[in-house]
């Protein structure tokens, strides 16, 4: 391995450890579901700005989005919410159904027909299942995914004892369902993947490649898996993705022209 690559990996690993330490401190604050106002009027939502729902990854909770949420609200997204799915969840499909109920609740409460979703890791896969398999494409305008194992990850083979981990393995039934035809899917997909993501093995598994979906893959360089929902450069990319125009009527797949360095 070249010296520059070794140096970049060492820096990314050090950053991952620092982020992990901070996240462990914040983790208890995210265990309890956030309190929502049952009387939020539609007039409280900025016209043209859809509500954003944040969905965490495996064995995590909403505390992972503290910095990203702050970035979104400071830049005009006044309706940003998080949803926790139970750590006892054993089926990605059940989590996707829960997500669908939360989306419908937000739509009813805010008066918006559509929402945007940002999912980290497994959260992105859950949201993708909701959009592709449960009719969520009529309710989700843009789905942004951060380090999501679209083709499955082979990391930590001993973790296969957990059903959710098995569903994230290459060739799982869930991934085969998602790889199947999805004609007419209306949601716009944006997938951020990092060349130094040690949880996505191989790293390219976080790229979404599907002939029926409107996809934009964004490659970032210099950070690991835990940094994706935290790093300010990625947050800027997420904001840009959410603010982008409506999906085109015809199917169009976009590929990143090059890596966005965040080192």
């Amino acid at each position: 391995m070249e010296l520059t690559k070794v140096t970049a990996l060492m820096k990314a690993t050090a950053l991952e450890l620092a982020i992990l330490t901070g996240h462990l401190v914040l983790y208890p604050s995210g265990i309890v579901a956030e309190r929502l106002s049952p009387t939020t009027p539609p007039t409280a939502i900025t016209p043209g700005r859809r509500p954003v729902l944040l969905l965490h990854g495996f064995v995590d909770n909403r505390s992972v989005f503290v910095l990203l949420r702050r970035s979104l609200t400071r830049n005009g997204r006044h309706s940003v919410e998080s949803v926790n799915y139970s750590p006892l969840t054993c089926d990605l499909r059940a989590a996707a159904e829960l997500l669908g109920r939360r989306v419908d609740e937000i739509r009813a409460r805010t008066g918006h027909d559509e929402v945007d979703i940002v999912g980290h890791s497994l959260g992105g896969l859950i949201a993708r299942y909701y959009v592709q398999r449960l009719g969520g494409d009529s309710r989700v305008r843009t789905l942004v995914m951060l380090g999501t194992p679209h083709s499955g990850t082979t990391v930590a083979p001993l973790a296969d004892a957990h059903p959710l981990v098995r569903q994230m393995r290459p060739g799982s039934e869930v991934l085969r369902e998602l790889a199947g035809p999805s004609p007419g899917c209306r949601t716009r997909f944006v997938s951020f993947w990092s060349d130094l993501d040690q949880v996505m093995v191989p790293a390219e598994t976080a790229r979404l490649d599907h002939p029926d979906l409107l996809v934009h893959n964004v490659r970032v360089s210099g950070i690991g898996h835990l940094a994706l929902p935290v790093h300010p450069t990625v947050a800027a990319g997420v904001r840009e993705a959410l603010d982008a125009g409506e999906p085109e009527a015809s199917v169009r797949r976009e590929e990143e022209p090059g890596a966005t360095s965040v080192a």
Side-chain angles (χ1 to χ4, degrees):
M1 185 180 294
E2 298 179 4
L3 179 60
T4 55
K5 292 183 179 179
V6 172
T7 302
L9 182 58
M10 290 177 63
K11 289 182 177 179
T13 302
L15 179 60
E16 288 286 280
L17 291 174
I19 292 173
L20 177 61
T21 300
H23 187 40
L24 289 175
V25 174
L26 291 173
Y27 191 92
S29 68
I31 294 176
V32 179
E34 64 185 4
R35 295 182 179 180
L36 303 176
S37 172
T39 59
T40 303
T43 54
I45 309 302
T46 303
R49 293 276 184 159
R50 294 175 296 278
V52 179
L53 186 58
L54 308 175
L55 188 62
H56 63 81
F58 181 62
V59 297
D60 211 338
N61 62 41
R62 62 188 178 87
S63 63
V64 72
F65 291 117
V66 167
L67 295 180
L68 178 58
R69 182 172 187 161
R70 183 181 304 167
S71 175
L72 292 173
T73 55
R74 285 180 174 177
N75 287 271
R77 294 278 175 169
H78 301 298
S79 179
V80 182
E81 302 180 8
S82 303
V83 59
N84 283 351
Y85 52 91
S86 171
L88 301 179
T89 300
C90 292
D91 188 359
L92 184 152
R93 303 174 186 88
E97 292 176 357
L98 171 65
L99 174 62
R101 292 194 292 272
R102 182 62 177 273
V103 167
D104 287 341
E105 185 273 330
I106 292 174
R107 292 169 61 241
R109 176 160 44 84
T110 65
H112 281 275
D113 292 330
E114 296 176 311
V115 305
D116 293 327
I117 297 178
V118 180
H120 179 228
S121 196
L122 174 62
L125 207 59
I126 291 170
R128 185 181 160 200
Y129 192 92
Y130 166 63
V131 167
Q132 282 187 243
R133 307 297 296 178
L134 301 180
D137 64 314
S138 65
R139 300 169 176 84
V140 178
R141 175 72 63 85
T142 301
L143 170 55
V144 178
M145 298 156 291
L146 310 174
T148 292
H150 299 293
S151 302
T153 177
T154 60
V155 73
L158 295 180
D160 280 355
H162 198 291
L164 280 180
V165 174
R166 293 198 296 271
Q167 291 183 330
M168 289 189 284
R169 294 305 192 198
S172 72
E173 182 179 350
V174 166
L175 293 184
R176 290 198 302 271
E177 284 186 61
L178 291 175
S182 295
C185 185
R186 289 161 283 186
T187 297
R188 177 175 178 266
F189 297 83
V190 182
S191 188
F192 287 79
W193 68 283
S194 174
D195 55 0
L196 294 181
D197 190 332
Q198 300 299 301
V199 176
M200 297 296 103
V201 180
E204 291 78 10
T205 191
R207 288 168 47 95
L208 176 54
D209 185 14
H210 194 295
D212 293 335
L213 304 181
L214 179 66
V215 178
H216 179 47
N217 286 301
V218 182
R219 177 189 174 196
V220 296
S221 180
I223 63 174
H225 190 73
L226 296 178
L228 285 168
V230 174
H231 202 284
T233 302
V234 177
V238 171
R239 296 196 308 268
E240 181 180 353
L242 295 178
D243 290 340
E246 297 184 8
E248 298 176 0
S250 59
V251 173
R252 177 169 55 88
R253 292 166 54 205
E254 300 179 16
E255 300 297 335
E256 66 280 4
T260 298
S261 177
V262 296

